């Protein structure tokens, strides 16, 4: 976009009070020479949705506005272009019903992209406006369909020699490199946290975890599974000749103009090697306690706990429940020049300036326990250990808390109360636990209902009788809840993003007295609830009533007790 055109459009938004100030615009314009998508930056500087922003673009340029259903119904011409070009320029070429050539563009002033499309298509194109999100969705569908259209023509010969050098050559070839890059770009478009690449008898299956749930996506059709896995292993610095043992590695890639850290874990299976790629964007936004989803009462408790000079704070929950994000947020609140903070993690997912972060390297003996022993000699104020997995780590953490340090860590337990008997099982003495443990925070992640399409529903007696679990959640007749519908913004799933549900058990009063050799999680839980603890289910139901999530999500991730 030219500077003058950009400036005029920015002033248009400022006049409509959709953009904060022209000073912001000047900052955005200054980033143009670096190749950053300036129009997307302007969108991100507003509070508009993707479709709302596209409406303003269409109005400013006087062009027709295309919806996602219209793009889906159009006859795509994407097979004539490279996937990367279409995604980087955010354009979707198609043929109109009258036979004319059209181009859906998120940035209609990008004449270079329009001219390139005219050259490829061999004639003039009419430019119309669509949102960044709609174009990303339709390109994901159409490009995947193009790749799957003629697999026999695109797939390299399966009879190729499978020795290591041949495999390395295949993995370095343009089709395989392009296939891996397109896979990573698709994952970023979908906001996926993980990519699962799994070989089965009938071929390769690729799934991506979006908002906590896996979705199947088209597998690359122009690359052998072995070559695809070899390319990923090369990127992660793994041994491509070793296929009998699991391997772990890491890579950093620039995808869609963003730097992404990738953790790669491979595993031999019956039909070949599978791989899981964890995607960790470096620009993960500010770690703000308000984004965690804590209720006002629980947030007040957490802020009070973080003011303690020493003690043990434990965050519990299964894998993928947001424990690492919660710990990183707590550390960001504690991160002040007057405090020395040390962490040992596996892996380091959030980079926190001013915090001394270390990563577990079991191969050379750097474990959670050995790092903790070294930490206490580094004069720290705050220590974070990624997970208490064994008796040695548990006891070192407790003794560090006893000697004047604030220690943050995680455990894998079902509830907050269950963390206490778990620590006792790991060999921590009851009297030491009573002296050091300040609180346990249990959490889960629920999907957030799409603001654009969620639907309000008033519960009837018939609905409660049809599903007794709703009554078990504490819902009553005439209560208002919200349900997913599905629209173009959320990709038809009805949810977009995730939020936490929490319970915070403070070790005090009756719960404190119950800590001992025969501590029982149920007794501690009941005591904490009598003392006013809000359980995860109660927190989740409150979020149902406020329209944050649905009852189906609550029932999926919680256990009614």
């Amino acid at each position: 976009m030219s500077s003058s055109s950009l400036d005029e459009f920015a002033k248009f938004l400022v006049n409509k009070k959709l953009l904060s100030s022209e000073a912001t615009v000047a900052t955005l314009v200054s980033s143009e020479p670096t190749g950053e998508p300036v129009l997307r930056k302007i969108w991100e500087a507003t509070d508009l949705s993707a479709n709302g922003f596209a409406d303003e673009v269409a109005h400013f340029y006087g062009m027709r506005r295309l919806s996602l259903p219209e793009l889906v119904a159009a006859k795509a011409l994407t097979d004539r272009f490279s996937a990367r070009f279409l995604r980087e320029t955010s354009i979707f070429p198609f043929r109109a019903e009258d036979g004319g050539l059209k181009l859906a563009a998120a940035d209609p002033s990008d004449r270079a992209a329009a001219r390139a499309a005219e050259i490829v298509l061999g004639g003039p194109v009419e430019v119309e406006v669509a949102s960044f999100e709609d174009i990303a969705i339709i390109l994901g569908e159409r490009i995947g369909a193009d790749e799957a259209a003629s697999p026999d023509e695109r797939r390299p010969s399966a009879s190729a020699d499978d020795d290591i050098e041949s495999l390395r050559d295949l993995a370095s070839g343009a089709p395989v490199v392009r296939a891996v890059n397109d896979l990573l770009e698709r994952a970023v478009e979908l906001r996926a946290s993980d990519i699962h690449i799994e070989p089965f008898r009938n071929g390769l299956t690729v799934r991506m975890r979006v908002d906590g749930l896996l979705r199947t996506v088209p597998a690359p059709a122009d690359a052998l599974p072995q070559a695809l896995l070899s390319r990923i292993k090369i990127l992660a610095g793994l041994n491509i000749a070793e296929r009998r043992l699991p391997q772990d590695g890491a890579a950093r890639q620039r995808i869609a103009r963003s730097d992404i850290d990738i953790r790669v874990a491979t595993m031999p299976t019956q039909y070949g090697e599978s791989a899981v790629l964890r995607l960790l964007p470096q620009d993960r936004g500010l770690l703000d306690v308000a984004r965690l989803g804590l209720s006002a009462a629980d947030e007040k408790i957490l802020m009070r706990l973080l003011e303690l000079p020493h003690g043990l704070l434990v965050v519990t929950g299964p894998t993928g429940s947001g424990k690492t994000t919660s710990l990183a947020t707590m550390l960001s609140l504690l991160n002040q020049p007057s405090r020395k903070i040390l962490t040992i993690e596996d892996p380091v997912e959030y980079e926190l300036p001013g915090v001394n972060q270390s990563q577990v390297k079991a191969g050379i003996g750097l474990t959670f326990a050995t790092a903790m022993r070294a930490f206490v000699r580094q004069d720290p104020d705050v220590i974070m250990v990624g997970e208490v997995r064994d008796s040695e780590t548990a006891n070192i953490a407790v003794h560090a808390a006893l000697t004047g340090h604030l220690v943050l860590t995680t455990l894998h337990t079902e509830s907050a109360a269950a963390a206490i008997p778990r620590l006792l099982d790991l060999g921590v003495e009851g009297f030491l636990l009573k002296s050091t443990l300040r609180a346990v925070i249990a959490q889960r992640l629920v999907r957030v209902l799409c603001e654009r399409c969620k639907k309000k529903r008033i519960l009837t007696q018939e609905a409660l009788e049809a599903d007794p679990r709703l009554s078990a959640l504490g819902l009553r007749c005439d209560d208002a809840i919200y349900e997913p519908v599905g629209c173009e913004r959320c990709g038809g799933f009805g949810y977009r993003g995730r939020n936490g549900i929490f319970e915070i058990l403070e070790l005090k009063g009756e719960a404190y007295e119950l800590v001992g050799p025969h501590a029982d999680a149920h007794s501690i839980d009941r005591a904490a609830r009598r003392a006013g603890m809000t359980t995860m289910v109660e927190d989740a139901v409150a979020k149902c009533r406020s329209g944050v999530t649905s009852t189906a999500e609550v029932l999926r991730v919680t256990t009614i007790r």
Side-chain angles (χ1 to χ4, degrees), residues 68 132-142 186 189-190 487-491:
L68 182 59
F132 282 106
E133 287 189 354
D134 287 351
I135 289 178
I137 290 169
I138 194 64
L139 288 180
E141 292 180 359
R142 296 301 188 187
R186 179 77 193 280
E189 287 171 6
L190 291 175
C487 65
E488 66 273 12
R489 180 175 183 267
C490 58

Side-chain angles (χ1 to χ4, degrees), residues 213-257:
L213 296 183
L214 288 171
R215 300 182 189 176
T216 301
V217 299
D222 54 354
L224 283 171
Q226 301 98 312
L228 194 73
L229 262 294
S230 295
R231 174 63 184 169
I232 291 168
K233 290 165 78 172
I234 289 170
L235 287 176
L238 303 179
N239 181 4
I240 67 170
E242 180 55 76
R243 304 174 195 167
R244 300 167 299 170
L245 296 173
Q247 295 187 71
D248 295 303
R252 177 169 292 180
Q253 290 286 102
R254 188 161 182 81
I255 306 165
R257 297 190 174 95

Side-chain angles (χ1 to χ4, degrees), residues 258-271:
S258 298
D259 288 328
I260 307 289
D261 285 330
I262 305 170
R263 311 290 180 183
V264 178
T266 66
M267 172 65 68
T269 68
Q270 184 178 2
Y271 297 106

Side-chain angles (χ1 to χ4, degrees), residues 514-537:
L514 289 172
V515 176
H518 304 292
D520 174 63
H522 293 292
S523 300
I524 294 172
D525 182 70
R526 287 194 294 269
R529 292 166 73 176
R530 285 194 292 271
M533 180 184 78
T534 301
T535 67
M536 279 188 290
V537 171

Side-chain angles (χ1 to χ4, degrees), residues 178 297 435 496 557:
R178 185 169 57 248
S435 301
R496 185 177 173 83
V557 303

Side-chain angles (χ1 to χ4, degrees), residues 188-385:
V188 171
E189 287 171 6
L190 291 175
R191 301 173 294 107
S193 59
D194 303 84
I195 304 173
H196 293 243
I197 300 172
E198 303 159 317
F200 292 105
R201 182 191 297 273
N202 297 325
L204 200 67
T205 296
V206 178
R207 297 187 288 174
M208 295 183 182
R209 191 175 293 279
V210 181
D211 293 337
L213 296 183
L214 288 171
R215 300 182 189 176
T216 301
V217 299
D222 54 354
L224 283 171
Q226 301 98 312
L228 194 73
L229 262 294
S230 295
R231 174 63 184 169
I232 291 168
K233 290 165 78 172
I234 289 170
L235 287 176
L238 303 179
N239 181 4
I240 67 170
E242 180 55 76
R243 304 174 195 167
R244 300 167 299 170
L245 296 173
Q247 295 187 71
D248 295 303
R252 177 169 292 180
Q253 290 286 102
R254 188 161 182 81
I255 306 165
R257 297 190 174 95
S258 298
D259 288 328
I260 307 289
D261 285 330
I262 305 170
R263 311 290 180 183
V264 178
T266 66
M267 172 65 68
T269 68
Q270 184 178 2
Y271 297 106
E273 282 184 291
S274 68
V276 176
L277 287 68
R278 169 66 57 89
L279 306 183
L280 305 169
Q282 286 188 299
D283 181 17
R284 306 185 73 181
L286 296 174
L287 291 168
D288 184 359
V289 70
R291 296 187 180 187
L292 295 178
L294 288 159
S295 66
D298 283 346
E299 184 176 330
K300 186 177 179 180
I301 294 171
L302 177 63
M303 300 303 289
R304 175 164 49 79
L305 291 169
L306 292 177
E307 292 175 357
L308 297 172
H310 52 79
L312 179 65
L313 298 181
V314 178
V315 181
T316 75
T319 300
S321 60
K323 300 188 299 296
T324 301
T325 300
S326 294
L327 284 178
T329 302
M330 293 180 206
L331 289 179
S332 70
L333 294 172
L334 293 167
N335 190 12
Q336 298 175 3
S338 59
R339 288 194 180 101
K340 171 82 175 249
I341 302 177
L342 301 174
T343 77
I344 178 68
E345 305 169 60
D346 186 22
V348 175
E349 293 192 14
Y350 289 90
E351 294 184 10
L352 304 172
V355 176
N356 296 272
Q357 296 174 269
S358 304
Q359 183 164 317
V360 166
K361 296 178 182 176
I364 60 172
L366 181 58
T367 63
F368 286 123
T370 55
M372 286 289 290
R373 279 198 297 270
F375 281 177
V376 296
R377 297 190 291 272
Q378 294 289 314
D379 188 30
D381 298 293
V382 180
I383 295 173
M384 192 272 271
V385 53

